[in-house]
Amino acid sequence: MRKTIISLLLLLSSFYYLTAQEQSAETKSIEDKWHFELTPYFWATSMYANIELGPISFESDTRFKDIFANLEYAIPFHFEFGKGRWTVITDFLYVENQMNQEAQYTIFPKLPEKTTIDFSSVYTLTKLQWEALGAYTVRTHNTKNAACKIDALLGVRFTRIENNLELTKQGVLDTLAVFPFSFTEQYVDPLIGAAYTAHIHKKWKFYLRADIGGFSVGSKFTSNIITNISFQAVRFMDVNLGYRWLYTNYDNGKSGAEYYSNKSNELGPIFSLTFKW
């Protein structure tokens, strides 16, 4: 009887060892595989901003329907690739739109109340924004109903903004010979953040990303929050619905006609398709 028990225990131990080795090899094989994701998306952005361009200042309170009605170009896409615990994340956004804007022109900054002129203009905003981040999975957790992971993020966000103002009504400002008024600014923000992914069902996934940056290297401060729910429509494609909020507080530190500052909130729902291979 004793020999039988010992033999059974040895058999079970051998089976467990071989199974563990097989699972370990399978996990290692999965981790060694490269993965790629391409996500074209549509961001229904509303913009709320306080902008100063040298002697010109204005507040923009523009809903998505107004931005979309005057949208010239919009080229957004997101791309990821990685292997094992490492992933490289890139995001590209190029937009150009026109908005009717009430603004103020201050002739003498030391006497703003007496020398400020209100005027109507067409404001053309051209924005190029590119993100490049490295993500490392610091924690994974698997349960019966869900598989979760947490990624640490580190990278940069490059922003280039072209501002153009044209008068829509003739007036005293025509004599100053400064219109159309154009101003271009570009800067790079360092970023740190984290991302949380949970497979809440066989075909459903929840994603949350938050990052902060700037730290007076580029902008004074910037923060970014993205969240979405994904559904795996087919093996190689997910359908995503989410929301994004991007805050920027930028000041170039210059004076006079070269001064530029932008405190803005850009927010709205995002619809996207993710192609995986």
Side-chain angles (χ1 to χ4, degrees), residues 156-261:
V156 295
R157 180 186 297 123
F158 170 78
T159 303
R160 186 177 190 272
I161 296 178
E162 296 179 18
N163 304 273
N164 184 277
L165 283 160
E166 296 184 16
L167 294 174
T168 55
K169 296 180 180 179
Q170 292 184 349
V172 66
L173 291 180
D174 291 330
T175 63
L176 298 178
V178 296
F179 290 93
F181 186 89
S182 297
F183 197 97
T184 301
E185 192 75 16
Q186 60 185 35
Y187 54 92
V188 178
D189 287 324
L191 302 174
I192 58 172
Y196 173 76
T197 306
H199 293 266
I200 53 181
H201 189 266
K202 185 178 181 181
K203 289 183 176 291
W204 292 90
K205 182 173 66 176
F206 171 77
Y207 176 80
L208 173 64
R209 169 188 158 187
D211 59 74
I212 59 174
F215 312 118
S216 296
V217 176
S219 62
K220 288 185 175 180
F221 182 77
T222 181
S223 61
N224 178 51
I225 297 176
I226 303 172
T227 184
N228 65 51
I229 295 289
S230 302
F231 174 73
Q232 185 179 10
V234 292
R235 182 181 59 83
F236 60 87
M237 186 185 76
D238 293 347
V239 179
N240 315 301
L241 181 62
Y243 198 87
R244 183 183 185 187
W245 169 54
L246 175 63
Y247 170 75
T248 302
N249 181 358
Y250 178 78
D251 185 330
N252 66 4
K254 298 179 181 179
S255 60
E258 296 183 345
Y259 178 70
Y260 173 71
S261 72

Side-chain angles (χ1 to χ4, degrees), residues 33 39 62 70 82 223:
K33 290 182 179 179
T39 307
T62 313
N70 298 284
S223 61

Side-chain angles (χ1 to χ4, degrees), residues 41-47 60-76 95-100 123 125 267 269 271:
Y41 63 88
F42 177 74
W43 184 17
T45 315
S46 297
M47 185 176 73
S60 179
D61 186 350
T62 313
R63 304 297 177 93
F64 165 70
K65 63 179 182 178
D66 300 317
I67 293 177
F68 185 73
N70 298 284
L71 188 66
E72 298 291 328
Y73 303 101
I75 308 173
V95 293
E96 179 179 330
N97 53 51
Q98 292 184 340
M99 297 169 276
N100 293 322
Y123 173 51
L125 172 67
L267 60 156
F271 175 77

